[in-house]
């Protein structure tokens, strides 16, 4: 009996040692933060939130924080050469550097993860200004990507110390994007299980779903994927690795152009995907298109859904069902010149899965794009 209680206690401790409250923000290192902020405001409907740069006492870089509901993006550009940010952009092009996670205690999060084998990126630090304090710490993950742990319970400012509130007259309306549903990492050949183990051992995540190359392959390209979820389920990180196919895997194309491992896509949640995607399209966001034959027999495949088929077909929105409900999803084309980072727009209606039923149609669409780039 005592042993049972002890092992139950262990399980609880194992799940709870790193309670994450969700994604705090996603930071991109980009060649021109001013223009990138304009793009995400104009095309994706973010609002100006905060700015850091020479005017706020930050001498070597500028950062624009933008927000839409619970989604916060930070766009950062270095002002000088020969520094880590400039090197990151030189190597990877525009891409995601930081997946910041909200915690109750940034010191404890760093202590727990580094004790379990994580490599420190930033020792715990407390930043102050007149609006209070934010504690930050960080660890390294795949490639040059990092997790920052953000503790902001004692802060009332716009974003964080070092930033001033950024007020603009140009504020395009929201597109209805709400929060980060999941962030997918692309890792190298045979590296997926290493990173699955990292998220299990170092961060207390669980592997909730696995897809092998049988599930995720077309005639040509293939990949494998495992979905990692935080103990409380608020944060999900699927990890992809390339698999052998007749031609080059889409993950391999990413690794070639990003020059290493990194974030492949961020899935953004909406409560009304038809409305959100209609607005995004009108504002110039480009989406992958599946053939219209995808919609033949769709209702037979996924069962009854609340939405009319016609707008889904017109916009190219995909539907998939699992035991708990269904989901609607669509993927943008890469948002920079290199075929690297893209976004997924997702609306969940009960389903907790990731659209396995759409992989084939989707990957054929990706392969058509790869073929146009000469990378198959
Ligand atoms: Fe996804």
């Amino acid at each position: 009996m005592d042993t049972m209680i002890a092992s139950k206690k262990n399980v609880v401790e194992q799940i709870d040692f790193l309670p994450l409250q969700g994604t705090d923000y996603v930071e991109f290192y980009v060649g021109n933060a001013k223009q990138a902020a304009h793009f995400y405001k104009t095309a994706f409907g973010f609002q100006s939130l905060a700015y850091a740069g020479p005017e706020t006492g930050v001498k070597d870089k500028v950062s624009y924080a933008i927000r839409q509901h619970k989604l916060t993006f930070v766009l950062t550009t270095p002002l000088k050469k020969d520094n880590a940010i400039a090197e990151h952009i030189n190597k990877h092009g525009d891409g995601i550097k930081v997946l910041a996670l909200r915690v109750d205690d940034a010191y404890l999060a760093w202590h727990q993860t580094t004790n379990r084998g994580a490599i420190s990126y930033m020792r715990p630090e407390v930043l102050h200004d007149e609006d209070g304090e934010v504690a930050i710490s960080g660890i390294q993950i795949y490639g040059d990507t990092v997790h920052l742990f953000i503790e902001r319970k004692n802060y009332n400012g716009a974003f964080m110390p070092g930033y001033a509130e950024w007020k603009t007259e140009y504020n395009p309306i929201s597109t209805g994007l709400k929060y980060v549903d999941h962030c997918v990492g692309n890792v190298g050949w045979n590296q997926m299980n290493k990173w699955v183990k990292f998220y299990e051992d170092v961060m207390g995540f669980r592997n909730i779903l696995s897809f092998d190359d049988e599930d995720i392959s077309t005639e040509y390209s293939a990949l494998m994927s495992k979905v990692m979820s935080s103990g409380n389920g608020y944060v999900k990180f699927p990890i992809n690795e390339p698999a052998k196919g007749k031609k080059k895997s889409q993950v391999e194309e990413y690794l070639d152009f990003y020059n290493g491992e990194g974030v492949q896509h961020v899935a953004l949640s909406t409560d009304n995907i038809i409305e959100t995607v209609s607005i995004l399209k009108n504002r110039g966001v480009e989406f992958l298109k599946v053939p219209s034959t995808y919609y033949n027999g769709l209702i037979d495949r996924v069962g009854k859904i609340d939405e009319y088929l016609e707008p889904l077909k017109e916009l190219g929105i995909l539907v998939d069902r699992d035991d708990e409900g269904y989901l609607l999803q669509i993927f943008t084309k890469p948002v920079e010149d290199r075929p690297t980072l893209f976004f997924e727009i997702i609306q969940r209606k009960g389903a907790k899965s990731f659209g396995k039923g759409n992989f084939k149609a989707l990957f054929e669409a990706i392969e058509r794009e790869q073929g146009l780039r000469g990378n198959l």
Side-chain angles (χ1 to χ4, degrees):
M1 191 65 184
D2 278 356
T3 330
M4 261 183 72
I5 291 166
S7 67
K8 252 189 175 172
K9 191 164 167 277
N10 278 343
V11 170
V12 169
E13 274 177 5
Q14 196 123 39
I15 291 167
D16 280 345
F17 76 79
L18 185 64
L20 300 175
Q21 297 168 356
T23 304
D24 194 89
Y25 66 89
V26 177
E27 183 170 7
F28 303 68
Y29 282 177
V30 297
N32 190 331
K34 186 176 216 165
Q35 289 187 2
H38 186 70
F39 169 75
Y40 284 109
K41 284 174 63 178
T42 302
F44 283 84
F46 284 79
Q47 305 290 314
S48 305
L49 175 67
Y51 167 83
E55 300 86 344
T56 69
V58 177
K59 295 297 179 203
D60 56 348
K61 62 178 181 178
V62 291
S63 296
Y64 295 82
I66 53 177
R67 180 168 287 167
Q68 178 166 192
H69 299 281
K70 288 181 176 170
L71 258 181
T72 307
F73 283 180
V74 177
L75 293 317
T76 295
T77 291
L79 292 172
K80 302 263 166 70
K81 60 177 184 143
D82 299 332
N83 56 69
I85 304 173
E87 276 165 27
H88 195 278
I89 296 166
N90 187 33
K91 182 176 175 190
H92 302 296
D94 287 5
I96 290 176
K97 173 66 180 181
V98 179
L99 298 174
L101 305 168
R102 178 95 47 98
V103 295
D104 186 57
D105 186 330
Y107 174 79
L108 194 63
W110 181 85
H111 191 73
Q112 291 280 22
T113 49
T114 52
N115 262 356
R116 287 173 165 81
I119 299 168
S120 175
Y121 172 71
M122 183 194 256
R123 294 182 67 85
E125 238 177 73
V126 181
L127 310 175
H128 302 265
D129 68 11
E130 64 274 14
D131 293 311
E133 60 180 48
V134 173
I136 305 183
S137 62
I139 58 169
Q140 298 185 10
I141 56 166
Y142 45 75
D144 292 323
T145 320
V146 302
H147 285 319
L148 290 185
F149 300 116
I150 310 289
E151 173 190 336
R152 54 169 73 254
K153 59 180 183 281
N154 300 317
Y155 194 66
N156 295 312
F159 183 51
M160 61 169 69
Y163 285 76
E165 191 177 358
W166 181 33
K167 285 191 176 155
T168 51
E169 284 177 19
Y170 177 65
N171 297 300
I173 58 158
S174 165
T175 58
L177 296 171
K178 298 277 163 136
Y179 55 86
V180 173
D181 185 275
H182 60 274
C183 293
V184 180
N186 276 344
V187 299
W189 292 95
N190 306 312
Q191 296 298 300
M192 177 179 70
N193 286 329
K194 174 187 141 181
W195 287 102
V196 164
K197 197 164 164 34
F198 170 89
Y199 277 105
E200 282 172 350
D201 294 351
V202 170
M203 298 190 58
F205 279 43
R206 290 172 298 124
N207 175 207
I208 56 167
L209 277 173
S210 299
F211 307 104
D212 62 22
D213 49 348
E214 292 283 301
D215 295 321
I216 314 185
S217 68
T218 61
E219 197 183 345
Y220 296 120
S221 70
L223 63 84
M224 292 187 279
S225 189
K226 287 189 176 174
V227 181
M228 305 307 294
S229 169
S230 65
N232 58 21
Y234 290 172
V235 177
K236 293 188 189 73
F237 295 135
I239 310 285
N240 296 336
E241 75 172 32
K244 288 256 182 286
K246 278 191 192 161
K247 292 195 178 177
K248 187 185 262 188
S249 164
Q250 52 172 292
V251 177
E252 199 180 353
E253 187 197 34
Y254 175 100
L255 296 169
D256 284 353
F257 281 86
Y258 198 70
N259 275 313
E261 302 176 336
V263 176
Q264 179 209 41
H265 75 265
V266 180
L268 308 173
S269 175
T270 171
D271 293 338
N272 186 342
I273 196 165
I274 292 175
E275 194 175 288
T276 294
V277 173
S278 300
I279 304 172
L280 291 170
K281 270 200 153 167
N282 281 339
R283 297 195 192 171
V285 177
E286 297 176 311
F287 292 94
L288 287 175
K289 194 89 183 151
V290 292
S292 59
T293 50
Y294 170 86
Y295 297 90
N296 298 345
L298 178 71
I299 301 306
D300 295 337
R301 295 204 299 276
V302 301
K304 194 181 167 322
I305 56 173
D306 301 336
E307 293 72 17
Y308 289 112
L309 202 56
E310 217 31 58
L312 297 179
K313 189 174 173 179
E314 189 145 312
L315 295 165
I317 294 165
L318 311 174
V319 190
D320 196 26
R321 185 178 284 279
D322 64 20
D323 297 344
E324 294 171 271
Y326 69 99
L327 62 82
L328 304 123
Q329 63 185 169
I330 189 168
F331 296 81
T332 72
K333 291 185 181 180
V335 288
E336 54 290 292
D337 296 305
R338 300 190 196 197
T340 52
L341 176 73
F342 59 88
F343 292 95
E344 171 181 352
I345 311 299
I346 184 166
Q347 182 178 5
R348 293 187 181 277
K349 293 203 147 177
K352 295 205 175 75
S353 53
F354 293 81
K356 178 176 159 182
N358 292 323
F359 288 166
K360 189 166 164 19
L362 198 60
F363 290 1
E364 282 167 356
I366 291 174
E367 275 178 21
R368 280 194 295 279
E369 300 281 321
Q370 263 182 279
L372 290 173
R373 294 190 284 263
N375 293 333
L376 262 185

